[in-house]
Amino acid sequence: MQETKDNIKPSNKDLKYSSDEFVKMDLNISGMEKIKIIKKEGVPFKEDDVIAKYLLKGEKDIKFIKSPIYGWIVKYEEDDKTLILEKCKHEMFYIHLCTKCGYKKTENDELKAYGFTNKEFFFSKEKAESLEKTKVQDYLTSKKLILLLDLDNTILHCSSVSISSEQIKFLDGKYSTYISKIPIKNYVTNRYETILIKFRPFLRTFLKNIKNKFEIFVYTQATKEYATGVIQYVNTNFVKDILSTTRMIPRILDENGIAENKSIKNVFPTQEKMILIIDDNMEVWKESGNNFIGIYPYRFFSEREKITNKLIFINNFEKNYTKDSFYKIEHDNVLFCITNLLLNVHRKFFAFYEKNQITKSISRITNDTLKLILLRKKFYYYLNFDKSDLFIKKNKKKKEKDNDNNENKKEINDKEINKELDNNKINEEKKENNNEQINKINEDKNNEIKNNTKNLLKFKIQKLGGELIEEEKDMFDADYILTDFYDLNDETFKNIENHKEKKIPILHSHYIEICSMYYYAVKTEDFLLTEQNNYLKFLDLNKVFEKNKVDIIKFYKNDEFVDEN
């Protein structure tokens, strides 16, 4: 039997089968009496599968012809005994096998996961790109962008305590409006358990405004069962069919059972221009930072419940509940602001596309939009770590730990010193050097924390289009001076009293925090420090929000925005 593969030049009549996708086999075998093609046209087979059998003249033994490829028969020319085979492109795999021909993938095969809820399905790079281009064009036609949306601490907060029947009855009364009870299937016990979820304020507003402008993919590190329960509840109680379990990427575990980082490539391996990410945790999106829009974590239940195994609400909500006091406690307005940002980015994206017929990266549009918030405003940051509330707050636990360690070290050192003194092996100079080393370590730690605090503030200011002046000599070029002091009459503040001459306003650094939280340059009046007006440590965010609410909508030019809260 003579086989001809890709290196055999076909005749003119076979030019349509002349590409690398086909194999032509010459079945004109010397002395052949008859031949039978076993495989039907279009039916896939593996390499070395028997595709035909024949009999030579004068012989009784049947001989077999095996396939040189993974593929299927396209055509058999009986007149000239030519068999045309088409190679399988291995475009889709389930786990490790090609879904069409059964080919087993190897380490050399470049495969991509695409739009699925797990890593069991893969596509060839070419197929994934083709699918994505088709899908992207569909989104462009329908004027939709893609939003990867996290659940926990982004649009909801889940209680970690199992709920008893008595607690359910208690919550059915005055709390029923605000706290949701959702049955979730436990993937271990296979039974349903009731969990408490507090959805973030303005969630309905958020979902209704973006419903026709974004295709939402729920991307969470929670279990599939949990995500499914939340999606079903949101679709029933907030906005009908806004979310879908077919557009859900739950926790993906690696071979060691540890949750993997999130990645755009698990949804769209090659197309990132139309994708935005809303999540409270940037650490899990290390490969997709450019598409990330950070959102401040939302927490309603107390972290103490994990320790006490009792249901505890933040700010003693269960003891002090009234309708009015609830809204004072429930002052989170972040989704209102995020909604306006997304609508603005959507409008700019499609305005550019309709004008130029090409897409502009959505991450670039978002970054350009955010830089308009502080719009080249200059800030100087004055921080005295000895008296700063920020330092005390951030380092209370660290100081306690360091003090304990220092006490232990001191006790050990004292014993060693006394022992060595008794043995005439140490002197006062050595003891003094030891104390200097400890002081140097503490000083280095303080400088590290100070630099980290300053760098974080600098990052937030630059992200919103402002500038942080670093040199003290350039302090008076600033539009605002930022500080962590609450009282300008503090003696340590005399270093910058000259601001009076330049009339530079002094703001508490919380101003930048709130601007970053709301993605808007809020009015400065609530953060302003004067000799007559000290900054309040417990800022009423509701009042701040109400003063800026209308202006936020105007800033993002969202005439179509509807508040559904």
Side-chain angles (χ1 to χ4, degrees), residues 33-201:
E33 184 176 348
K34 57 182 178 179
I35 186 170
K36 182 178 181 180
I37 307 300
I38 298 175
K39 299 291 185 181
K40 295 182 179 179
E41 291 183 4
V43 177
F45 43 75
K46 299 178 182 179
E47 185 178 351
D48 289 334
D49 277 2
V50 175
I51 57 176
K53 56 184 180 179
Y54 64 95
L55 189 64
L56 296 175
K57 292 179 181 179
E59 294 187 8
K60 294 181 179 180
D61 294 336
I62 297 175
K63 300 186 181 296
F64 300 95
I65 300 174
K66 295 181 179 181
S67 170
I69 62 166
Y70 285 84
W72 46 87
I73 296 173
V74 176
K75 186 179 181 182
Y76 176 57
E77 297 285 356
E78 192 169 357
D79 293 341
D80 58 4
K81 299 292 187 295
T82 301
L83 187 65
I84 306 296
L85 308 181
E86 182 176 356
K87 295 178 181 178
C88 181
K89 296 178 182 177
H90 311 312
E91 293 180 326
M92 180 176 177
F93 286 79
Y94 176 71
I95 303 180
H96 58 272
L97 295 177
C98 174
T99 56
K100 202 161 191 177
C101 71
Y103 168 78
K104 187 175 182 179
K105 70 178 182 181
T106 67
E107 294 180 355
N108 296 325
D109 293 312
E110 188 174 2
L111 302 175
K112 305 280 185 180
Y114 169 81
F116 283 92
T117 59
N118 53 53
K119 284 194 171 182
E120 294 179 345
F121 286 94
F122 293 87
F123 291 91
S124 66
K125 180 182 177 182
E126 294 76 15
K127 185 64 175 178
E129 290 176 351
S130 174
L131 287 170
E132 285 185 56
K133 286 179 181 178
T134 302
K135 197 66 178 175
V136 164
Q137 190 56 51
D138 291 342
Y139 287 137
L140 289 172
T141 302
S142 60
K143 290 189 175 182
K144 273 193 171 185
L145 297 173
I146 302 154
L147 181 66
L148 305 186
L149 182 64
D150 178 49
L151 295 179
D152 289 288
N153 301 122
T154 295
I155 65 169
L156 60 87
H157 191 209
C158 171
S159 168
S160 61
V161 178
S162 299
I163 306 304
S164 66
S165 57
E166 290 184 4
Q167 287 172 319
I168 290 175
K169 289 179 182 178
F170 173 73
L171 293 166
D172 276 339
K174 57 189 177 184
Y175 297 103
S176 60
T177 308
Y178 308 111
I179 301 176
S180 305
K181 303 181 298 296
I182 302 180
I184 301 292
K185 191 174 183 180
N186 188 310
Y187 74 98
V188 177
T189 64
N190 210 30
R191 295 179 181 178
Y192 281 90
E193 297 177 355
T194 299
I195 64 169
L196 290 186
I197 287 181
K198 176 65 182 67
F199 287 97
R200 196 166 200 157

Side-chain angles (χ1 to χ4, degrees), residues 426-437:
I426 192 168
N427 53 39
E428 287 299 325
E429 184 179 350
K430 194 168 185 179
K431 184 178 178 181
E432 186 178 343
N433 289 338
N434 188 52
N435 289 333
E436 288 179 358
Q437 287 179 354

Side-chain angles (χ1 to χ4, degrees), residues 147-150 154-155 200-212 214 216 239 242-243 278 295 334-340 342-343 561-565:
L147 181 66
L148 305 186
L149 182 64
D150 178 49
T154 295
I155 65 169
R200 196 166 200 157
F202 290 103
L203 178 59
R204 183 174 281 104
T205 294
F206 172 73
L207 294 175
K208 279 200 171 185
N209 277 276
I210 69 170
K211 180 177 181 180
N212 297 321
F214 288 84
I216 302 175
V239 179
I242 182 73
L243 306 178
I278 301 290
I295 187 170
V334 172
L335 282 181
F336 178 98
C337 306
I338 289 288
T339 303
N340 278 280
L342 291 182
L343 292 177
F561 175 82
V562 179
D563 185 359
E564 298 281 352
N565 205 41

Side-chain angles (χ1 to χ4, degrees), residues 149-320:
L149 182 64
D150 178 49
L151 295 179
D152 289 288
N153 301 122
T154 295
I155 65 169
L156 60 87
H157 191 209
C158 171
S159 168
S160 61
V161 178
S162 299
I163 306 304
S164 66
S165 57
E166 290 184 4
Q167 287 172 319
I168 290 175
K169 289 179 182 178
F170 173 73
L171 293 166
D172 276 339
K174 57 189 177 184
Y175 297 103
S176 60
T177 308
Y178 308 111
I179 301 176
S180 305
K181 303 181 298 296
I182 302 180
I184 301 292
K185 191 174 183 180
N186 188 310
Y187 74 98
V188 177
T189 64
N190 210 30
R191 295 179 181 178
Y192 281 90
E193 297 177 355
T194 299
I195 64 169
L196 290 186
I197 287 181
K198 176 65 182 67
F199 287 97
R200 196 166 200 157
F202 290 103
L203 178 59
R204 183 174 281 104
T205 294
F206 172 73
L207 294 175
K208 279 200 171 185
N209 277 276
I210 69 170
K211 180 177 181 180
N212 297 321
K213 301 182 184 300
F214 288 84
E215 189 80 271
I216 302 175
F217 286 75
V218 170
Y219 203 149
T220 175
Q221 287 194 321
T223 64
K224 181 179 180 180
E225 292 78 9
Y226 172 82
T228 299
V230 171
I231 287 172
Q232 291 172 346
Y233 188 91
V234 169
N235 286 342
T236 303
N237 296 276
F238 284 86
V239 179
K240 186 178 180 182
D241 298 332
I242 182 73
L243 306 178
S244 173
T245 53
T246 62
R247 298 191 307 274
M248 173 185 73
I249 302 92
R251 176 190 300 164
I252 299 174
L253 302 179
D254 62 19
E255 57 186 13
N256 297 317
I258 300 173
E260 293 184 357
N261 282 335
K262 298 178 180 180
S263 174
I264 287 178
K265 294 179 181 180
N266 286 334
V267 187
F268 289 90
T270 62
Q271 300 286 336
E272 296 187 4
K273 280 190 173 183
M274 297 176 66
I275 300 175
L276 280 178
I277 300 163
I278 301 290
D279 200 321
D280 69 293
N281 186 3
M282 187 176 184
E283 287 299 310
V284 298
W285 290 99
K286 292 181 179 179
E287 297 179 358
S288 311
N290 292 335
N291 302 72
F292 180 87
I293 297 180
I295 187 170
Y296 268 63
Y298 177 63
R299 295 184 178 92
F300 183 80
F301 303 101
S302 172
E303 293 297 316
R304 287 181 294 157
E305 67 179 30
K306 296 178 180 179
I307 302 172
T308 62
N309 200 34
K310 292 180 180 179
L311 188 63
I312 302 171
F313 299 106
I314 290 175
N315 296 323
N316 291 319
F317 176 46
E318 75 281 14
K319 294 180 180 178
N320 303 324

Side-chain angles (χ1 to χ4, degrees), residues 282-507:
M282 187 176 184
E283 287 299 310
V284 298
W285 290 99
K286 292 181 179 179
E287 297 179 358
S288 311
N290 292 335
N291 302 72
F292 180 87
I293 297 180
I295 187 170
Y296 268 63
Y298 177 63
R299 295 184 178 92
F300 183 80
F301 303 101
S302 172
E303 293 297 316
R304 287 181 294 157
E305 67 179 30
K306 296 178 180 179
I307 302 172
T308 62
N309 200 34
K310 292 180 180 179
L311 188 63
I312 302 171
F313 299 106
I314 290 175
N315 296 323
N316 291 319
F317 176 46
E318 75 281 14
K319 294 180 180 178
N320 303 324
Y321 173 84
T322 66
K323 186 173 182 180
D324 292 333
S325 67
F326 173 79
Y327 285 108
K328 290 180 182 177
I329 295 168
E330 187 64 327
H331 53 57
D332 187 285
N333 307 296
V334 172
L335 282 181
F336 178 98
C337 306
I338 289 288
T339 303
N340 278 280
L341 171 60
L342 291 182
L343 292 177
N344 181 274
V345 170
H346 177 277
R347 184 174 62 255
K348 289 178 179 177
F349 180 92
F350 282 100
F352 183 88
Y353 175 71
E354 289 174 0
K355 181 179 179 180
N356 301 284
Q357 290 302 301
I358 57 173
T359 58
K360 185 178 181 179
S361 170
I362 195 170
S363 61
R364 182 176 173 184
I365 293 173
T366 304
N367 290 333
D368 290 346
T369 301
L370 294 180
K371 289 187 181 302
L372 297 174
I373 294 174
L374 293 179
L375 195 59
R376 296 187 292 278
K377 288 285 189 300
K378 295 180 180 180
F379 299 86
Y380 177 79
Y381 185 38
Y382 181 83
L383 175 61
N384 186 313
F385 257 44
D386 293 332
K387 290 202 172 186
S388 167
D389 177 77
L390 179 67
F391 174 73
I392 295 170
K393 188 176 180 181
K394 284 192 174 183
N395 295 280
K396 185 177 180 181
K397 291 184 178 179
K398 183 171 278 190
K399 273 188 172 182
E400 289 174 355
K401 186 177 179 181
D402 289 342
N403 287 338
D404 290 340
N405 290 337
N406 288 338
E407 285 296 326
N408 292 333
K409 285 179 181 178
K410 188 175 182 300
E411 185 178 347
I412 293 169
N413 286 337
D414 286 344
K415 288 180 180 179
E416 291 178 351
I417 289 169
N418 290 331
K419 184 178 178 181
E420 291 180 4
L421 281 173
D422 291 340
N423 295 323
N424 297 319
K425 292 182 180 179
I426 192 168
N427 53 39
E428 287 299 325
E429 184 179 350
K430 194 168 185 179
K431 184 178 178 181
E432 186 178 343
N433 289 338
N434 188 52
N435 289 333
E436 288 179 358
Q437 287 179 354
I438 294 175
N439 291 334
K440 181 68 168 59
I441 291 172
N442 289 334
E443 184 181 350
D444 290 343
K445 285 183 179 179
N446 288 349
N447 288 333
E448 182 182 355
I449 296 169
K450 182 178 180 180
N451 289 332
N452 289 342
T453 303
K454 187 175 181 179
N455 289 337
L456 180 59
L457 190 70
K458 180 180 179 180
F459 169 78
K460 291 178 179 179
I461 290 173
Q462 289 180 340
K463 182 178 180 181
L464 302 183
E467 179 185 345
L468 182 67
I469 295 175
E470 309 243 14
E471 299 294 333
E472 188 173 350
K473 63 182 178 65
D474 300 324
M475 177 195 307
F476 301 114
D477 292 334
D479 297 294
Y480 298 98
I481 294 175
L482 299 173
T483 179
D484 294 292
F485 287 96
Y486 294 100
D487 184 358
L488 291 193
N489 295 315
D490 194 296
E491 292 181 4
T492 57
F493 210 77
K494 290 181 178 179
N495 290 347
I496 59 171
E497 278 188 350
N498 291 331
H499 75 90
K500 295 175 184 176
E501 301 175 9
K502 300 289 184 177
K503 296 182 179 180
I504 302 175
I506 300 177
L507 303 176

